[in-house]
């Protein structure tokens, strides 16, 4: 039987290798063992698009299930509290059906979309229900994890309600965990808005790019175990092509591995070049095009002005290129930071948060038009 491609370049898919992230899962495992109120049971993961936030939530969920916890996995869209309340009721019913003394060994409750309108006293009801559920789980030496992705898009009222209920449960020393994930600047703004001072106490994990050395070593093991030969020189080139960016690690790995299988299970110069080119094209057509299209015209103009630089861009220079003053240019910058598209590298300088974004923009017709008709 032919070997299967070991890489999973699909957004949110669980990849076969999680480089440099084992300590985060271990922190959560230790917090479960230390019991209610342990710091890791209230955590927030942040980072730019494609950095692996959703995958990391999945790792935490798996760890909880391995400890016998119930998991409610959600995304911050309208009706979030209603769905969590419905999942809590479903878990309570599941727990109550079995024989006395039964111990839960892991139940995952995904996104439950309920087309019902709960009464105004909803909070009282689901708070009471989750309290009763956690009391039963505590007796069985297990607990409940609520995982919420993309909280940068959350309704502030719903987040406040969830935070208030979880804070109450922690005060009651009940086995509850809450892990959240979102874009860095948006999460920062969310916490600074005073939506919930309680959430400011959460353990914060800023997911960064993985070091090139770690990526190269992971590639070495993965290619070797899957029967594909690769030289040290090609390993380094392969790792550098990813920029240490988790989604690109999967994407580049997938296409180079696939090309190598066509050339005798060996990574040649041609296989490497073709694979990297396909990966970057795919990156542009999915992650980058989606992120770029979602922006306003003025925000797109800011990125196009940044693309003229080969490295970090001076915010002062960008404002001059756009023909606006520094204050007005600063508004563009803040929106792009909140969107997770750019990041601050040092005082007065920004760069693209996602590798290959600069190259992607330079290939667009809009960039060519900008160079023909610059404002500076």
């Amino acid at each position: 039987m032919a070997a299967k491609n070991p890489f999973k370049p699909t957004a949110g898919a669980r990849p076969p290798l999680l480089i440099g992230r084992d300590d985060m899962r271990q922190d959560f495992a230790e917090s479960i063992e230390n019991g209610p109120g342990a710091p890791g049971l209230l955590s927030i993961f942040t980072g730019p698009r494609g950095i692996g936030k959703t995958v990391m939530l999945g790792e935490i969920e798996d760890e909880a299930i391995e400890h016998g916890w119930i998991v409610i996995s959600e995304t911050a869209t309208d009706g979030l509290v209603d769905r969590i309340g419905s999942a809590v009721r479903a878990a309570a019913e599941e727990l109550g059906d079995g024989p006395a003394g039964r111990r839960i060994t892991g139940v995952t409750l995904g996104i439950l979309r309920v087309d019902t309108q709960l009464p105004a006293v909803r909070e009282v009801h689901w708070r009471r229900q989750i309290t009763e559920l956690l009391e039963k789980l505590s007796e069985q030496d297990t607990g409940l994890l609520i995982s919420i992705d993309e909280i940068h898009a959350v309704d502030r009222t719903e987040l406040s309600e969830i935070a208030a209920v979880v804070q109450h449960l922690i005060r009651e020393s009940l086995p509850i965990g809450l892990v959240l994930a979102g874009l860095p600047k948006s999460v920062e703004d969310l916490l600074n808005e005073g939506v919930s001072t309680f959430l400011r106490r959460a353990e914060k994990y800023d997911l960064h790019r993985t070091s090139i050395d770690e990526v190269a070593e992971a590639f070495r093991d993965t290619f070797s175990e899957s029967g594909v030969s690769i030289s040290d020189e090609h390993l380094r080139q392969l790792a550098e092509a990813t920029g240490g960016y988790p989604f690109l690690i999967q994407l580049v790995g997938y296409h180079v591995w696939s090309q190598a299988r066509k050339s005798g299970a060996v990574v040649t110069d041609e296989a490497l070049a073709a694979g990297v080119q396909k990966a970057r094209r795919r990156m542009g057509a999915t992650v980058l095009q989606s992120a770029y299209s979602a922006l306003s015209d003025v925000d797109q103009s800011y990125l196009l002005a940044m693309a003229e630089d080969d490295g970090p861009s001076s915010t002062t220079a960008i404002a001059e290129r756009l023909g606006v003053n520094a204050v007005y240019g600063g508004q563009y910058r803040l929106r792009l930071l909140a969107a997770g598209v750019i990041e601050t590298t040092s005082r007065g300088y920004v760069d693209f948060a996602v590798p290959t974004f600069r190259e992607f923009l330079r290939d667009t017709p809009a960039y060519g038009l900008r160079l023909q008709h610059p404002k500076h």
Side-chain angles (χ1 to χ4, degrees), residues 334-374:
L334 290 175
R335 285 199 300 268
L336 291 168
L337 286 170
V341 177
I342 66 173
E343 59 189 4
T344 300
T345 57
S346 60
R347 185 175 179 81
Y349 283 83
V350 292
D351 203 353
F352 294 99
V354 182
T356 75
F357 213 147
R358 178 179 288 104
E359 292 76 11
F360 165 77
L361 291 172
R362 287 177 173 178
D363 286 338
T364 62
Y367 182 74
L369 288 173
R370 171 172 175 76
L371 294 184
Q372 292 175 26
H373 306 288

Side-chain angles (χ1 to χ4, degrees), residues 229-360:
S229 176
I230 183 169
S231 68
D232 288 344
E233 181 182 355
H234 285 147
L235 265 177
R236 190 70 188 182
Q237 292 173 5
L238 184 64
E240 289 175 348
T242 72
Y245 187 72
F247 185 58
L248 263 179
I249 291 172
Q250 298 301 320
L251 201 57
V252 169
Y254 179 88
H255 286 291
V256 171
W257 189 94
S258 180
Q259 291 295 313
R261 292 291 295 181
K262 299 175 183 177
S263 56
V266 176
V267 176
T268 61
D269 288 343
E270 294 75 17
L272 180 65
V276 169
Q277 183 181 32
K278 284 192 172 186
R280 287 179 174 168
R281 187 162 55 242
R282 183 62 180 166
M283 180 75 172
T286 55
V287 175
L288 303 182
Q289 184 61 57
S290 176
Y292 183 68
S293 298
L295 301 172
S296 68
D297 290 346
V298 290
D299 289 341
Q300 289 179 1
S301 296
Y302 195 97
L303 295 182
L304 291 170
M306 284 179 59
E308 294 183 31
D309 298 314
D310 293 329
S313 300
S314 161
T315 55
T316 300
I318 296 301
E320 290 175 354
R321 291 173 192 171
L322 294 173
V324 300
N325 61 43
V327 174
Y328 197 53
Q331 297 304 309
Y332 298 173
R333 179 181 61 83
L334 290 175
R335 285 199 300 268
L336 291 168
L337 286 170
V341 177
I342 66 173
E343 59 189 4
T344 300
T345 57
S346 60
R347 185 175 179 81
Y349 283 83
V350 292
D351 203 353
F352 294 99
V354 182
T356 75
F357 213 147
R358 178 179 288 104
E359 292 76 11
F360 165 77

